[in-house]
Structure formats: C-alpha cells, structure tokens
Amino acid sequence: QQQVKQSPQSLIVQKGGISIINCAYENTAFDYFPWYQQFPGKGPALLIAIRPDVSEKKEGRFTISFNKSAKQFSLHIMDSQPGDSATYFCAATHYSGGYQKVTFGTGTKLQVIP
Amino acid sequence: DVKVTQSSRYLVKRTGEKVFLECVQDMDHENMFWYRQDPGLGLRLIYFSYDVKMKEKGDIPEGYSVSREKKERFSLILESASTNQTSMYLCASSGSRASTGFFGPGTRLTVL
C-alpha cells in the first residue's frame, strides 16, 4: 500500500525556473515530513523537513509548502540550477511500535537544462 | 565528516548464492537500517536495528536476514539470492530513534 504518493515521476525545468514536486498522504498519524535529494551514485541526503504545525518552511532556494487539511505537501525549488538535477524523495514519518518509521514517496527525477 | 560506507558499489551474483552486504558507520549511531531502492517504488525498509544484536523486521523482510554483532557494523544477508532481489541496497544510520538519518552510497546488486 502506497501511503505517500509523489508526482510527477520526472520533471524537466529550464535553468532559472521553478521546480515543483508534490506529495500526498493518507495516514493522519504522520508527524514529520522530510525531503531527500539523491545524486547519481550517491545515497539520499536529507534536504529539508517540516512539521505539520507550520504551513511553510524555507531554506535558501528550497521551500516546503504544507497543507494539513488536504494532506498534501510540496517542494518548490526556486531559480533552479543544473546542479539541482537529482532524484527527490518526499517522506513521512510516524511512531509505530515504539519506533519512528519512515514511508518514502516513489521519487521524482529532476533535470534542469541550461 | 559523517560517514556510512558499504562494502561494494556493484555486485553480481548467481541465483542460489549466499550474499553478504556490509555496512559500517563511524558516527557511533545506535540505529542502523537496510533499504532497497527500486524504480517507481521508492525506498522500502527491509530490516533495522536499534542496538547491538537486536533486529526488527521492516516492510519487506522476506528473503533477507541481518546481523549486528558490533555497534558500527550492520550486515544484510541474502540466504539464497533470487533474481527478484536484483536492486539497489542502501544502508543508513541515525543517532536517535528516528529512521531519517545518513545514507551510504548504495550497493547495486544484480542476481543472474
């Protein structure tokens, strides 16, 4: 069962444009929503994260928008650069059986063209 | 600089072979995890460990086992490799009871 749905699967954006990746979830027990960035040949790395008590978090060119009522959150990359080309995963975490468990989205491959 | 290392970047094995994937972290983290990454499926948790000699099943443990004899080392074992275990395997570690943490570079395993 896919608990975190991510779209689009792939995305091509012009340099300087805005990249937008969307995620939706069902489980209202999720309490932390991280985004990961993965370059080819590397493992995923935590990029930015948000808790459901805020609607937006910004770190440099990266912004998470969170809509608790719609159970949706998205990553916006402003002024996208070729160096941002990577696969992005959204995720959602919750406590289960005494441990925090992470459910990942299926990933979005972003290509930023010059 | 934090580091999670995996013993092999690429591995090719035959069906039925026993396969060991090794992961070592140098951050003194209590928690270690094994995921597999497949196109269109994202990352799925196979097993995790919150202490030495302790293990817990993740979402897809069938066909796998793990070993954690030392705090810094977490091994994933495929007792009898099958072609449907061809995948990218990622190890991760974290310093709290959170599954978000630091990932290794991955091992791309091909089972023929």
Side-chain angles (χ1 to χ4, degrees):
Chain A
Q1 183 186 359
Q2 181 61 47
Q3 293 190 53
V4 179
K5 294 184 178 179
Q6 183 172 348
S7 63
Q9 192 171 9
S10 62
L11 183 61
I12 299 175
V13 172
Q14 206 88 36
K15 179 183 174 183
I18 303 173
S19 303
I20 302 174
I21 303 170
N22 300 299
C23 287
Y25 64 96
E26 294 291 329
N27 190 347
T28 55
F30 288 142
D31 58 4
Y32 185 65
F33 299 87
W35 284 88
Y36 288 83
Q37 180 187 54
Q38 184 180 29
F39 292 107
K42 303 281 188 182
L46 181 63
L47 181 65
I48 186 173
I50 196 168
R51 297 205 177 273
D53 52 347
V54 298
S55 60
E56 186 175 281
K57 183 172 182 180
K58 185 176 180 179
E59 290 184 2
R61 296 184 293 107
F62 299 91
T63 300
I64 300 177
S65 297
F66 188 83
N67 186 330
K68 190 174 182 178
S69 60
K71 292 187 281 187
Q72 294 175 347
F73 58 111
S74 59
L75 176 69
H76 295 234
I77 306 174
M78 312 301 287
D79 187 26
S80 299
Q81 299 296 313
D84 297 331
S85 298
T87 300
Y88 292 82
F89 293 93
C90 63
T93 78
H94 73 291
Y95 275 93
S96 176
Y99 307 109
Q100 188 177 37
K101 293 189 174 179
V102 184
T103 301
F104 287 89
T106 52
T108 296
K109 188 172 184 179
L110 171 65
Q111 185 181 359
V112 181
I113 54 177
Chain B
D1 199 20
V2 298
K3 217 166 195 176
V4 179
T5 56
Q6 295 183 229
S7 52
S8 305
R9 295 301 302 273
Y10 300 93
L11 210 52
V12 179
K13 295 292 182 180
R14 298 254 176 223
T15 301
E17 279 192 79
K18 190 169 186 176
V19 181
F20 292 88
L21 303 182
E22 302 283 337
C23 175
V24 178
Q25 51 97 1
D26 65 359
M27 296 163 282
D28 201 34
H29 283 166
E30 293 83 15
N31 316 305
M32 297 188 74
F33 311 87
W34 276 107
Y35 292 88
R36 63 178 284 177
Q37 181 178 4
D38 300 288
L41 295 177
L43 279 73
R44 294 178 291 167
L45 182 64
I46 305 171
Y47 267 97
F48 59 99
S49 168
Y50 286 111
D51 201 353
V52 175
K53 295 192 185 293
M54 174 271 181
K55 60 186 178 184
E56 291 281 345
K57 292 180 179 179
D59 299 319
I60 52 164
E62 296 78 20
Y64 304 94
S65 61
V66 290
S67 172
R68 192 158 180 211
E69 296 296 319
K70 292 185 178 182
K71 189 176 185 180
E72 67 271 17
R73 189 179 297 269
F74 192 34
S75 302
L76 180 69
I77 304 155
L78 287 65
E79 294 288 342
S80 177
S82 63
T83 54
N84 63 11
Q85 292 178 310
T86 291
S87 186
M88 171 69 82
Y89 289 89
L90 291 162
C91 175
S93 73
S94 73
S96 65
R97 282 204 163 194
S99 296
T100 59
F102 299 93
F103 282 86
T107 295
R108 185 165 293 282
L109 172 67
T110 302
V111 183
L112 301 175

